[in-house]
Structures are given as structure tokens and as C-alpha cells.
């Protein structure tokens, strides 16, 4: 398996090469030169595998330059009982009333930071040190987070030899629990930097420094944001797992093996892009339903064909803050597939020069050929979904997952099993849960976490202070 860049100027590279690089040298994103495929027979053979073994099989399709026994050791460490209780990703039926038969919640928040990002990041926490040790290199990870990526990355790499983490977050834009999970870490290789701005500003700073080839090389910069193809490969695993487990649940209804719909709360398009790869490989996914909050740039794109990222000042602060994003980095990967290499470069140039891309002639094709549908949710919708799920099932969901439930209920079709991808534990967003239910979701881990001292440095939304911090604190081989 080789990888090329969406911008077309990178020589084909292996998985271990693109794993460390973040952005491609030409500023694009790494994508598989050719998609792997999985037959129906092979899917059935995987049915009996536990999650770590399945992860080795699926990631192995993308990481062909890592010996399988080494990869199996990584996934066993990443998804073993010291980090995740079996089955790692549980499925919970959500019977919310007539017409919701086959609706299920895919539990992606069982990891150390109680968010779906752990499932990808714990793998990177094994894979990246492995590659660095083999190559005699070090890595200074530069990332941006709207809430959960940062804590997942820091918990995966804290204390690791040869790795340092510089994580940008929007000052005052995350929940108290999200801040505490990051800022309470005192490890010498963890550097938390709050930026006076929104997530898109943090992301723009990461891209600016990553596009500076000399600075990037001098300080061995890499990325573990959702642009990292290693994260995407690890996320494909739980789409395969969820389909296999759902067919077990539905076996007595005579619907095992049928195609399913998947509803994914989406901000940066990385999670749902992994679903797109799973679908492209042959996993029987019928529709990929994208759910946004009030920052609905992606919903507008998939319903109208017009992609118009908003300025930072137009990005709203909502009660599902991890999705307060107006420029989705991973959409570039899908646009490359949609348009083809030559047309993509031309249209991407248009987007960068005008700030807008009109692909209204592609809406039907995105729906028919790629299975994409989209919907948006409001604060009132989130509260209603949290109440409904709690009243009918006793489960408490977080506001991002509530966005997914809202849109799934709006768009699901009778007789078609529908998976809702969970985003995080409700305890990470106590204020919204309290508003919805009249009481908070209590978790003893959170209570202890909020009492810990915190360490963070706040900077203006500018390159120079960030460059200075990295120049002073980056590790070198």
C-alpha cells in the first residue's frame, strides 16, 4: 500500500513515512493510492475476532510496511484491558419508540479520556514510537483540538521517549472537563497552548507551521490531528466492528448481513471519512449520515453542494463545542475522490482564492454514489434528544452524540438498521446534561480530575509566539 498527496506533487510513500509527516510536502493530505477491498467472505471470517485482533487485520490493509506480528503487538497494547474493557466498543440498542427498531448506539468512549478519539490515538501512541525507534528519530507533535483530540493525544504520548506534544486549543471554548483532561497533565513532554481565537484559528496555525518546510524539518514537526492517515486507518476498524456486532444483534430478526446506515456527528470530517473508506472497502454501509450543530457548513455542502467555510468570528460557540468548526480539514480527501485528481487541483485553487466552492451539480452523485446525507441540530434539539434517550433507555448521552441521535431520528428509514456513533461520555459536558435532565452525569473520575492543578500557556492568534515556544522546547535527535 502506497500513499499519494491530494495536491499531486508527492512521490508515493509507505504508511510509516506518512504516519510521521502530517501534511504532505506539497501541503496536501495523504490518501491511499489504491483502496484495499474486503470480500463478504473475509468479513465473515473476521466475525469471531476480538477487537485488538480485528484492528490488526483492518489496519494491516493500510500499513502493509509494518510486519503483521509487530502490528498485532501494537493493537494488543493499544486496545488491551489496561486501556479498554472488553469488548472495547459495545453496541447498545436504542428503542426510542415506533419506527426506531434497529437503531443502536456505537460506544466509542470507553477509553482513558472518555471520547472516541482514544480509539485512534491509542494506536498512534504505539505506532509512532515504534517507527521513531526504528528510524532513530524524534517527533514534536503539533496539533489543534476543539476538545477531545488534544486530551486523547496527550494521554497517548505522555512520558513517551522521543516524542513531545504541542497542543493548541481555543481559549475559553472547551468544557471544564476537556480543559482539565489536558491542562492537568504535568509531564515534561506535554505543552498546552491556549490560543485567543476559535478552533479554526488553531488549525490554521498548525497548517502554517507545517507548510514551512524549513521550520518543520528543523524541529521535526509532525501531526496527530485527524489529518493523520494513521488515525483514519484506526477509525476504520470500529465501522467494521460495529457492522459485525449489529448483525449479531439483528440475527433473530432475519436481517443479518444487510446494509446499514451510519450517523456520525461531524466537525472536521475525519470520523465520517473513515466511514467512507470502510464503505469503499466493501463494508455493507448504505448511507453515511453526517450530523452537525449550528456550525453547519458541512450540512450545507452535502445538501446544496456549496462549500463556504466561515470566518472565525462567524463560528458559533455551542453546547456541542467539539463540532464548533467551520473549515473541515479532511473534506479535502473526499473532494479529491469526488472530482478526480486533475479537476480537484483546479477547484481547490478556486476555493482558496474565492473562499467558496460551488459543486451543486454533484449533490445527487454524492448521495447516490457515495451515500452521503446530512442534517443539523440545535441546542434545543440536543436537550430534547438527551431527555428522550434517558427517558426511554436510561442511558445518558453527551451533546455531540445528541446531535447524531437528532439527525438519525429525522433521516432514518423504517427497516434499515441505523448506527449512531457515540462521541464522548456525558460526564464531560455536565452543564448541558444538567440543563436537559435537571441533574448532572456524575463520574468519580471527573470529580477527581477537576480538583487537579492545571498548567497552560495562552498566546495571541499569531505565528510568532507559537514559533518561539516550539523553538525553545522542541526535542531534537
Amino acid at each position: 500500500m502506497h500513499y499519494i498527496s491530494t495536491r499531486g506533487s508527492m512521490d508515493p510513500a509507505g504508511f510509516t513515512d506518512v504516519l510521521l509527516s502530517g501534511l504532505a510536502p506539497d501541503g496536501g493530505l495523504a490518501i491511499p493510492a489504491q483502496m484495499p477491498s474486503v470480500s463478504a467472505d473475509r468479513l465473515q471470517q473476521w466475525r469471531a475476532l476480538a477487537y485488538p485482533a480485528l484492528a490488526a487485520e483492518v489496519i494491516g490493509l493500510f500499513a502493509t510496511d509494518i510486519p503483521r506480528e509487530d502490528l498485532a503487538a501494537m493493537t494488543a497494547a493499544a486496545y488491551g484491558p489496561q486501556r479498554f474493557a472488553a469488548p472495547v466498543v459495545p453496541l447498545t440498542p436504542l428503542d426510542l419508540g415506533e419506527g426506531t427498531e434497529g437503531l443502536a448506539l456505537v460506544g466509542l468512549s470507553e477509553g482513558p479520556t472518555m471520547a472516541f478519539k482514544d480509539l485512534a490515538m491509542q494506536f498512534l501512541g504505539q505506532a509512532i514510537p515504534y517507527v521513531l525507534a526504528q528510524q532513530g528519530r524524534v517527533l514534536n507533535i503539533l496539533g489543534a483540538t476543539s476538545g477531545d483530540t488534544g486530551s486523547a493525544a496527550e494521554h497517548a504520548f505522555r512520558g513517551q521517549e522521543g516524542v513531545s506534544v504541542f497542543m493548541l486549543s481555543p481559549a475559553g471554548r472547551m468544557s471544564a472537563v476537556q480543559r482539565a483532561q489536558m491542562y492537568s497533565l504535568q509531564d515534561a513532554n506535554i505543552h498546552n497552548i491556549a490560543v485567543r481565537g476559535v478552533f479554526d484559528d488553531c488549525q490554521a496555525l498548525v497548517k502554517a507551521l507545517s507548510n514551512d518546510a524549513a521550520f518543520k524539518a528543523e524541529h521535526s514537526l509532525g501531526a496527530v490531528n485527524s489529518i493523520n492517515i494513521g488515525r483514519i486507518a484506526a477509525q476504520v476498524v470500529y465501522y467494521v466492528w460495529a457492522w459485525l456486532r449489529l448483525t449479531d444483534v439483528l440475527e433473530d430478526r432475519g436481517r443479518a448481513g444487510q446494509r446499514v446506515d451510519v450517523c456520525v456527528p461531524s466537525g472536521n470530517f475525519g470520523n465520517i471519512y473513515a466511514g467512507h473508506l470502510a464503505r469503499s472497502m466493501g463494508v455493507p454501509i448504505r448511507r453515511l449520515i453526517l450530523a452537525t450543530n449550528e456550525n453547519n457548513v458541512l450540512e450545507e455542502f452535502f445538501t446544496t453542494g456549496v462549500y463556504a467555510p466561515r470566518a472565525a468570528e462567524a463560528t458559533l460557540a455551542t453546547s456541542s463545542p467539539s463540532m464548533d468548526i467551520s473549515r473541515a480539514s479532511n473534506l479535502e480527501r473526499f473532494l479529491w475522490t469526488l472530482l478526480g485528481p486533475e479537476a480537484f487541483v483546479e477547484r481547490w485553487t478556486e476555493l482558496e482564492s474565492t473562499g467558496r466552492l460551488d459543486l451543486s451539480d454533484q449533490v445527487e452523485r454524492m448521495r447516490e454514489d457515495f451515500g452521503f446525507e446530512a442534517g443539523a441540530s440545535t441546542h434545543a434539539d440536543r436537550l430534547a434528544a438527551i431527555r428522550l434517550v434517558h427517558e426511554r433507555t436510561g442511558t445518558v448521552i453527551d451533546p455531540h452524540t445528541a446531535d447524531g441521535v437528532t439527525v438519525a431520528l429525522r433521516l432514518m428509514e423504517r427497516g434499515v438498521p441505523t448506527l449512531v456513533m457515540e462521541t464522548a461520555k456525558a460526564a464531560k459536558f455536565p452543564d448541558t446534561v444538567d440543563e436537559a435532565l435537571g441533574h448532572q452525569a456524575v463520574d468519580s473520575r471527573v470529580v477527581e480530575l477537576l480538583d487537579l492543578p492545571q498548567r497552560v500557556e495562552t498566546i495571541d492568534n499569531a505565528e510568532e509566539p507559537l514559533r518561539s515556544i516550539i523553538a525553545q522546547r522542541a526535542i531534537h535527535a
Side-chain angles (χ1 to χ4, degrees), residues 277-293:
L277 292 186
R279 185 179 188 272
S280 301
M281 288 164 52
V283 179
I285 296 171
R286 190 183 72 132
R287 291 189 300 169
L288 291 160
I289 302 172
L290 181 147
T292 70
N293 60 17

Side-chain angles (χ1 to χ4, degrees), residues 176-177 179-186 449-456:
V177 178
R179 290 194 299 270
Q181 283 187 323
M182 293 172 57
Y183 302 165
S184 66
L185 295 183
Q186 304 297 322
L449 181 67
L450 292 173
D451 286 337
L452 295 175
Q454 298 185 12
R455 178 170 60 95
V456 62

Side-chain angles (χ1 to χ4, degrees), residues 322-367:
S322 297
M323 288 157 49
D324 291 347
I325 298 171
S326 292
R327 182 176 294 273
S329 289
N330 281 286
L331 188 64
E332 178 173 341
R333 287 182 162 116
F334 174 68
L335 292 176
W336 184 92
T337 303
L338 178 70
L339 299 172
E342 293 183 9
F344 167 78
V345 173
E346 178 182 345
R347 301 306 297 273
W348 189 260
T349 302
E350 174 189 336
L351 173 64
E352 290 189 324
S353 62
T354 67
R356 187 175 185 273
L357 190 60
D358 188 345
L359 297 178
S360 51
D361 60 334
Q362 298 287 336
V363 171
E364 185 172 350
R365 183 164 167 252
M366 289 191 290
R367 181 182 300 115

